[in-house]
Amino acid sequence: MPEQVFAYDQLLAFTKNVFHNIGCPPQQADTAARVLLSADMRGVDSHGVARLSGYVRLWEVKRVNAIPDIKIIHESPSTAVVDGDSGLGLVVAPYAMNVAIEKAKQAGTGWVSVQNSNHFGIAACHAMMALDNDMIGIAMTNASPLVAPTFSIDKMLGTNPICVAVPAGTEPPFVADLATTTAANGKLEILQRKSQPTPSGWVQDKDGQPSTDPHILKQGGALLPLGGDREHGSHKGYALGAVVDIFSALLSGANYAPWVPPFPAYVPMPSQQPGKGIGHFFGAMRIDAFRTADDFKEHMDNWIKGFRNARTSDPSLNVLIPGDPEREMETYRGQHGIPLLQSVVDDLDKLAGNMGLDRLSNS
């Protein structure tokens, strides 16, 4: 499928204009655009500007508040619950992560659970905020129910990602950012655009039978937990997704399990709403609350180098440290631009036309 390549600054200006057009204050529009584009820069194309029109559609049906009053509604010296006031998760999440970091500065660690939010982009963008403070960052979120637990045909959980970002010294940071499913839903969307099948073990049909149809969710099918089936450990992926749901929603008062609001605006809201909006969870751990930061980072470098030097079964392959591919992609796209599928460009141009903004392909 044909692609067009755009400079980061060009996409940033376009995205900020869209968010500003729906009423976001300038600083929040800038934050939302940078969080969204962090996905494209890191090669997570499923969560970048390809989703921009989806956020706008949520605003159009009044599920996103463009001018939220984000606030702490409960706290202790090291914990807090934040109410996102139905704001863009792209804005609510950085606010909450900053609360966790400030708590950690005072108490050693900071833990924040969030209610009443929306889709927050990629988890890594938020977890990595802790790195410059010599802290370990943790970010997770629940999501709309697309995942069937092991042995089930009912969709009970979201892709529920987890990210842990750990600073190092001379080595790049360790950044493990993963869905608790075999693949994120956005990967299915990419395969749909490319008219390609899914790998085996990603999805099942409405009867619980294996499928490779990327459209199967629209036919009552479901994503599978990490592992794919019980023999390959799907019960572990299911357990991880459940932990994310509990930390993100049951601690905060957000919706959970099959009652999490869907991302597509055309999908009806669940009839039962046990909480408010989507839930997130963030953590920040000050390194020097455990040992001196310099000592830790020296040993983290040693840890990373040890894994990089591990022998491989294929001499042409290297052992990767979590975060390596995304960091390398960020460097490459910073130099060469961000490629967008033509279908994504067409969607963004249509969005701009509807808003009376300059088209992306003509700017």
Side-chain angles (χ1 to χ4, degrees):
M1 180 173 287
E3 296 179 334
Q4 289 191 47
V5 178
F6 299 89
Y8 173 86
D9 287 345
Q10 183 181 2
L11 288 177
L12 179 65
F14 177 88
T15 306
K16 284 169 62 173
N17 283 341
V18 169
F19 284 129
H20 186 66
N21 189 267
I22 68 172
C24 293
Q27 185 57 54
Q28 292 194 7
D30 182 74
T31 297
R34 291 180 186 277
V35 170
L36 197 62
L37 277 170
S38 71
D40 293 294
M41 287 295 290
R42 293 177 66 79
V44 190
D45 298 337
S46 58
H47 285 54
V49 292
R51 289 206 169 199
L52 181 56
S53 60
Y55 291 104
V56 173
R57 285 191 289 269
L58 288 174
W59 169 78
E60 289 172 340
V61 298
K62 303 188 186 308
R63 282 179 47 199
V64 161
N65 178 7
I67 49 172
D69 178 21
I70 308 168
K71 59 188 177 185
I72 296 171
I73 58 173
H74 181 81
E75 66 179 323
S76 76
S78 62
T79 66
V81 174
V82 165
D83 186 313
D85 195 26
S86 297
L88 287 164
L90 306 169
V91 174
V92 176
Y95 175 98
M97 188 64 195
N98 273 320
V99 172
I101 290 169
E102 291 305 312
K103 293 278 186 185
K105 287 179 180 178
Q106 300 301 317
T109 64
W111 307 96
V112 177
S113 197
V114 178
Q115 64 165 246
N116 207 8
S117 186
N118 283 283
H119 190 278
F120 77 1
I122 60 168
C125 183
H126 313 303
M128 291 175 69
M129 290 172 59
L131 295 175
D132 289 340
N133 296 279
D134 278 346
M135 296 181 186
I136 294 172
I138 299 170
M140 56 185 81
T141 183
N142 68 5
S144 51
L146 301 172
V147 183
T150 303
F151 301 140
S152 178
I153 60 173
D154 289 332
K155 294 186 282 291
M156 297 295 294
L157 291 170
T159 52
N160 292 12
I162 301 171
C163 182
V164 178
V166 183
T170 58
E171 291 291 326
F174 171 106
V175 183
D177 185 7
L178 59 143
T180 54
T181 50
T182 50
N185 183 44
K187 298 287 181 64
L188 295 188
E189 295 169 354
I190 291 174
L191 292 176
Q192 291 167 17
R193 296 184 196 112
K194 295 182 176 180
S195 298
Q196 294 177 354
T198 74
S200 61
W202 279 25
V203 293
Q204 66 182 26
D205 67 18
K206 62 182 177 61
D207 299 315
Q209 298 302 307
S211 175
T212 59
D213 182 355
H215 298 276
I216 201 69
L217 269 63
K218 301 172 186 175
Q219 302 162 30
L223 286 168
L224 294 172
L226 188 62
D229 56 36
R230 177 62 184 269
E231 287 71 24
H232 294 90
S234 68
H235 56 293
K236 300 176 183 179
Y238 159 42
L240 287 171
V243 167
V244 172
D245 202 32
I246 293 166
F247 281 24
S248 299
L250 279 85
L251 280 179
S252 69
N255 290 301
Y256 48 84
W259 304 293
V260 177
F263 181 78
Y266 61 83
V267 177
M269 290 285 283
S271 57
Q272 182 177 344
Q273 292 283 282
K276 293 184 177 180
I278 285 176
H280 317 311
F281 185 80
F282 304 97
M285 303 167 64
R286 210 174 70 212
I287 298 296
D288 66 5
F290 298 87
R291 66 188 299 188
T292 66
D294 287 344
D295 283 347
F296 173 86
K297 291 193 288 186
E298 178 182 345
H299 284 279
M300 195 67 204
D301 283 347
N302 193 46
W303 188 96
I304 290 171
K305 290 173 183 176
F307 277 81
R308 288 201 197 284
N309 293 328
R311 292 179 298 166
T312 59
S313 58
D314 183 340
S316 67
L317 300 176
N318 295 314
V319 175
L320 295 174
I321 303 303
D324 279 352
E326 295 87 351
R327 176 177 49 80
E328 292 166 4
M329 181 63 74
E330 192 167 18
T331 298
Y332 180 85
R333 289 187 171 181
Q335 296 172 350
H336 301 283
I338 298 170
L340 299 180
L341 293 173
Q342 188 59 49
S343 59
V344 173
V345 177
D346 293 342
D347 180 61
L348 294 175
D349 280 344
K350 181 180 178 181
L351 176 65
N354 291 340
M355 290 185 158
L357 302 174
D358 289 339
R359 289 161 51 96
L360 180 64
S361 56
N362 291 338
S363 55

